[in-house]
Amino acid sequence: MRKKIIAGNWKMNKTPAEAVQLAESLKGSVNSGKADVIFCVPAIDIIPVAKALEGTNIAVGGQNMYFEDSGAFTGEISAKMLLDAGAKYVIIGHSERRQFFAETDETVNKKVLKAIESGIIPIICVGESLTQREQGITVDLVRLQTKIALKDVSAADAANVVIAYEPIWAIGTGKTATSEQAQEVCKAIRDVVGEIYDKNVSEKIRVQYGGSVNAANAAELFAMPDIDGGLVGGASLKAEFEKIVNY
Ligand code: PEP
């Protein structure tokens, strides 16, 4: 049985001092250990938040990284830097990075490979726009995004990665996919992982849903057979996150 994994994506919110305050205020109530819980915080907040979470089961994650080890890449952060700062996970290919920072399926794959090589677990985001959903190409698109993201990833490593299905039209909009819509695509992701590797990997890999998850819809979404938890944006910055984690 796969353990649920619920990650908060704090996006570009919270100064280091504010981040520590939020981590301190949430940590007691989201620390039962029943689900894996991760705070994906701005890079500058990783060190202080990791320190604030010492002694808990809550992990820290980054929100992006570069695929080179070091060098003349002004403004970028490497996987090793994230790891050394205390991050165990990193979000890769969030739709906001694809939309505003020219992230492509190919750069996602390079980052996934580097994260794995460096010992960081990638949370790979895939998902369709509203137009793509209306064109009826959601499943084809998400299958392709998943295949490219996992290119050259070994079966053993693939079993440990996390894939977040995040329909772009549901992110930050208050419009959640129905549990049936989310289940259909999360199952398609698990199926394509089974085709690339085998049943063993597809049964181990964890697939999250993300897109306006809140205290009212979390339980129904997370009860679906192929949804192993959530990637939560807006609601992860509030006390509501506690209700989502303890759904
Ligand atoms: C996200 O940022 O990954 C996300 C799902 O945001 P929200 O929960 O606010 O829709």
Side-chain angles (χ1 to χ4, degrees), residues 9 11 94 166 170-172 210-213 231-234:
N9 174 13
K11 311 199 186 197
H94 191 281
E166 296 211 308
I171 297 178
S212 299
V213 173
L231 181 54
V232 184

Side-chain angles (χ1 to χ4, degrees), residues 110-123:
K110 287 183 179 180
K111 291 179 180 190
V112 167
L113 291 168
K114 183 55 73 178
I116 291 169
E117 179 195 311
S118 310
I120 298 211
I121 300 173
I123 300 174

Side-chain angles (χ1 to χ4, degrees), residues 191-244:
D191 287 347
V192 77
V193 169
E195 289 165 27
I196 303 168
Y197 303 100
D198 55 34
K199 202 165 160 39
N200 181 42
V201 177
S202 72
E203 280 177 357
K204 278 196 183 141
I205 197 166
R206 292 188 288 181
V207 183
Q208 299 174 313
Y209 166 77
S212 299
V213 173
N214 58 39
N217 59 32
E220 187 182 332
L221 285 160
F222 299 169
M224 301 309 278
D226 289 293
I227 301 180
D228 304 314
L231 181 54
V232 184
S236 71
L237 294 163
K238 308 186 229 168
E240 184 177 4
F241 192 58
E242 174 200 338
K243 296 206 176 81
I244 295 171

